[in-house]
Amino acid sequence: MPAMTTTAMLDHELLELVSSLVCLLKNGKIDFVNHAGARMLGLNSQAEAIGTQFEDFVVSDYRFLMEAGWELLAEEEFLPLKLLRVDGTAFEAELRVRRAQPTSDIFLLEVRDISKFVKSAEALREREERLQGVLASVAEGIVTINDSGRIESANPAADRMFGYARGKLVGADLVTLLPEADRERHHRFFDAYMAGLFPTLMGRQVEGLGQRADGTSFPMEISVSELRHGRHRLFTAILRDISERKENEERIRRLAHHDSLTGLPNRNLLNDRMRHALARAQRNKSRMALLYVDLDKFKPINDTLGHEAGDEVLREVAERLNRCVRSSDTVSRVGGDEFVVLLETVARPNEAALVARKIIDSLAKPIDYKGNICQVGASIGGAVYPDDGETMDEISKAADIAMYRVKHAGRNDFRFYSEIAESELD
């Protein structure tokens, strides 16, 4: 018979003594199945299975395991799956794949019927989680770790993710994949878990840093599950490079709080920083100041040279404003040509006036755009806490009023709300 020709070196009688399903695959097709296996699959005879694909007896949702390739599956221990009998009923099973011989293209499959062991919803959930781990391993990094913390296997995705040649991770301590600063902490947590502490660590997704072979680091998401074989414990870690996700999150966060043209904080971030600055000033009984800066002669630049010129001028204005303040202060763009400067911890009211004068002088210098000289100025209105108001709204309104007084008085100057109040009282 053909089956005897391809498996002449194997003792079929010995395989018949095994109570589990045992079959031999050649070129992906069943070349032999023992009597126990035929009964398990509901076949009338062993001959019915010869020449069929093993996948034909696998529930469709679990056939992704076969898609990974028998070579890859041969590197794993028992994998959970569901099989179909010929009458269409499904049963829980565990599959182990091994090469019949080191250089052979024949694979030995051993399948155990574990239906009677799956008695609770918790057992079912844990099995499904392990299945999800196997599924993720096809597209993402997966490493198996023994109870000594050493890597027993790593799939190609893990090798690529961390920049190692195939097989180089096997035998290495898992901390090889972590930055130096995180390794001692990992050892402490691993030892504590093995001692019975932190029993809820398994199954959760956590974020951390991974380290590549070249020493560079990247953000990754880690999910670890545990499989026990007698007294031994095997851990499976699913590793995902989330660099792109983190970059997108940072981009979204920045767009929500910064002006897209100048990169300055927008009104949302300004209001948040004002709240914090005001709270500190109230707590420390100190002063803070707010400067409303409205550009003069900006509209003619847009009208004559175009919006690209206007955008370049705004970017240059933003840089000059930043150079006029301390790193602890905030320069924000709140409108087309409107900026707000938040000065924290102003010791004396005239300190804010010095900054306003510095801004006027800085913006008085011409801006060159492609050989065209652009000249702008600024009308600045200022307010000081607590002299000109005790709330954000009061201080903002006072600075706005002062700025409009400068506009009406001839522009390119600065005034503070207290000066206006005094002049009106006089």
Side-chain angles (χ1 to χ4, degrees), residues 42-319:
L43 299 171
N44 294 322
S45 68
Q46 295 161 265
E48 292 182 33
I50 306 303
T52 63
Q53 299 282 346
F54 182 77
E55 295 96 304
D56 295 343
F57 299 100
V58 178
V59 173
S60 59
D61 289 346
Y62 293 74
R63 291 180 185 173
F64 68 88
L65 292 170
M66 281 77 255
E67 294 173 3
W70 296 110
E71 295 83 357
L72 180 61
L73 295 182
E75 299 177 8
E76 303 291 337
E77 287 302 315
F78 278 98
L79 300 172
L81 78 163
K82 280 186 178 180
L83 292 183
L84 283 170
R85 299 183 180 90
V86 291
D87 63 3
T89 59
F91 62 96
E92 306 288 342
E94 282 186 335
L95 166 70
R96 183 169 66 174
V97 182
R98 291 292 183 267
R99 285 186 183 273
Q101 294 177 357
T103 60
S104 173
D105 61 351
I106 300 175
F107 291 92
L108 175 66
L109 275 60
E110 179 185 357
V111 178
R112 299 175 182 175
D113 184 345
I114 60 170
S115 300
K116 63 181 180 180
F117 301 110
V118 185
K119 296 180 179 179
S120 66
E122 178 63 19
L124 179 62
R125 183 188 64 81
E126 291 176 356
R127 193 204 76 248
E128 293 295 339
E129 288 178 351
R130 292 197 297 272
L131 259 178
Q132 289 302 315
V134 176
L135 176 61
S137 72
V138 176
E140 299 169 327
I142 179 171
V143 295
T144 56
I145 308 105
N146 62 24
D147 47 17
S148 297
R150 294 201 168 272
I151 298 172
E152 290 195 347
S153 68
N155 72 338
D159 293 328
R160 290 192 299 270
M161 185 182 301
F162 291 93
Y164 286 89
R166 180 67 174 160
K168 290 296 184 181
L169 285 174
V170 176
D173 195 303
L174 181 64
V175 297
T176 303
L177 308 182
L178 305 177
E180 189 74 35
D182 296 340
R183 295 180 181 182
E184 181 60 32
R185 180 172 177 268
H186 167 79
H187 278 308
R188 290 199 305 268
F189 269 93
F190 187 80
D191 292 343
Y193 179 79
M194 295 300 289
L197 303 176
F198 307 115
T200 61
L201 283 177
M202 294 298 107
R204 294 190 301 171
Q205 289 184 343
V206 297
E207 293 183 4
L209 287 178
Q211 180 170 287
R212 302 183 183 93
D214 61 7
T216 59
S217 60
F218 63 95
M220 67 176 178
E221 186 177 75
I222 309 167
S223 177
V224 181
S225 58
E226 179 182 356
L227 183 65
R228 298 196 182 213
H229 284 293
R231 293 182 298 175
H232 295 286
R233 302 157 85 171
L234 185 69
F235 300 91
T236 302
I238 307 300
L239 311 169
R240 301 176 181 87
D241 185 340
I242 56 173
S243 300
E244 184 176 353
R245 190 181 84 190
K246 286 296 183 182
E247 290 171 2
N248 290 336
E249 289 175 355
E250 174 60 23
R251 189 178 300 111
I252 293 171
R253 187 197 66 78
R254 184 166 183 82
L255 287 173
H257 295 93
H258 290 79
D259 172 49
S260 59
L261 176 64
T262 63
L264 294 177
N266 61 16
R267 190 181 294 276
N268 291 333
L269 184 53
L270 171 67
N271 289 339
D272 182 66
R273 291 186 178 178
M274 280 183 63
R275 281 191 291 270
H276 288 289
L278 184 59
R280 282 191 291 270
Q282 291 169 342
R283 184 170 58 252
N284 300 328
K285 300 188 183 306
S286 58
R287 285 185 169 88
M288 56 161 277
L290 203 64
L291 304 178
Y292 270 39
V293 182
D294 191 81
L295 298 185
D296 298 328
K297 297 182 289 186
F298 174 73
K299 188 174 183 298
I301 295 174
N302 264 341
D303 293 342
T304 58
L305 298 178
H307 289 288
E308 287 187 5
D311 290 348
E312 183 60 32
V313 169
L314 290 173
R315 282 190 284 264
E316 176 62 23
V317 168
E319 292 182 9

Side-chain angles (χ1 to χ4, degrees), residues 364-380:
K365 299 173 184 178
I367 298 173
D368 184 2
Y369 173 72
K370 296 182 178 181
N372 297 287
I373 300 303
C374 302
Q375 191 73 52
V376 297
S379 298
I380 303 176

Side-chain angles (χ1 to χ4, degrees), residues 290-292 356 379-383 398-399 401-403 405-406 409 413-424:
L290 203 64
L291 304 178
Y292 270 39
S379 298
I380 303 176
I401 291 173
M403 184 268 291
R405 291 299 176 91
V406 174
D413 199 358
F414 69 91
R415 292 187 71 178
F416 280 80
Y417 183 76
S418 56
E419 300 171 6
I420 298 172
E422 290 174 2
S423 64
E424 287 179 350

